[in-house]
Amino acid sequence: MSAPAPAPLARPPRLGLLTTPLLIALIYNAISLLTLPFSGPTIRQLLAELAATTGQPPLQLSDAQIQTVLWLSFALTSALVLWLYATRRAVLEGRRWGWVSTLVIAVLSLLVLPLGTVLGAVMLFGLFDREVRAYLHR
């Protein structure tokens, strides 16, 4: 006979301190991803305003350069959305790598003022909760 499988641990109540900020960041970045194709004229306007503010000659970017910037932004934002989704799934399933990934996301979120700082602080508080650590370190 085989040994009985260990009973799964119940999700700790403070796990929401991790999953909710991850979901908020996921939704925020997904919306940002959807608005990215319409950012070309905004880039041109910001460059003109920068030139007017600094008194320098306007920086001229070709359409190809703006397209390159937008495609690179699209790729990086897509990767971030996928990372947030995979991390949230790992946390909900109690996987060990979810704790490390959430720690990295929380520390990087502290640099994004003001909403990211709040979300990062909440995630860090939740990460070091005893029950959450036990749930994610099994």
Side-chain angles (χ1 to χ4, degrees):
M1 295 194 95
S2 62
L9 292 175
R11 288 185 182 162
R14 290 195 179 170
L15 193 65
L17 293 175
L18 303 181
T19 58
T20 303
L22 287 171
L23 182 62
I24 291 169
L26 178 67
I27 292 170
Y28 174 78
N29 285 294
I31 291 171
S32 172
L33 189 64
L34 291 174
T35 62
L36 200 56
F38 308 106
S39 299
T42 305
I43 292 174
R44 289 207 182 279
Q45 181 183 2
L46 285 174
L47 289 175
E49 288 177 9
L50 178 66
T53 303
T54 60
Q56 300 291 324
L59 180 63
Q60 298 297 322
L61 291 179
S62 69
D63 287 337
Q65 290 172 322
I66 290 178
Q67 286 294 336
T68 302
V69 167
L70 290 176
W71 277 109
L72 183 62
S73 299
F74 180 82
L76 291 174
T77 307
S78 297
L80 178 60
V81 166
L82 291 173
W83 182 25
L84 289 166
Y85 176 77
T87 300
R88 187 171 185 275
R89 282 292 295 226
V91 168
L92 286 171
E93 294 172 1
R95 299 194 181 198
R96 174 172 284 216
W97 67 268
W99 189 89
V100 175
S101 183
T102 304
L103 179 65
V104 172
I105 291 170
V107 170
L108 292 176
S109 293
L110 293 173
L111 301 173
V112 182
L113 297 172
L115 181 63
T117 305
V118 173
L119 294 177
V122 169
M123 284 190 280
L124 285 173
F125 179 74
L127 273 171
F128 292 102
D129 181 65
R130 181 176 295 141
E131 294 174 3
V132 171
R133 284 191 75 167
Y135 180 75
L136 293 175
H137 281 89
R138 38 184 183 136

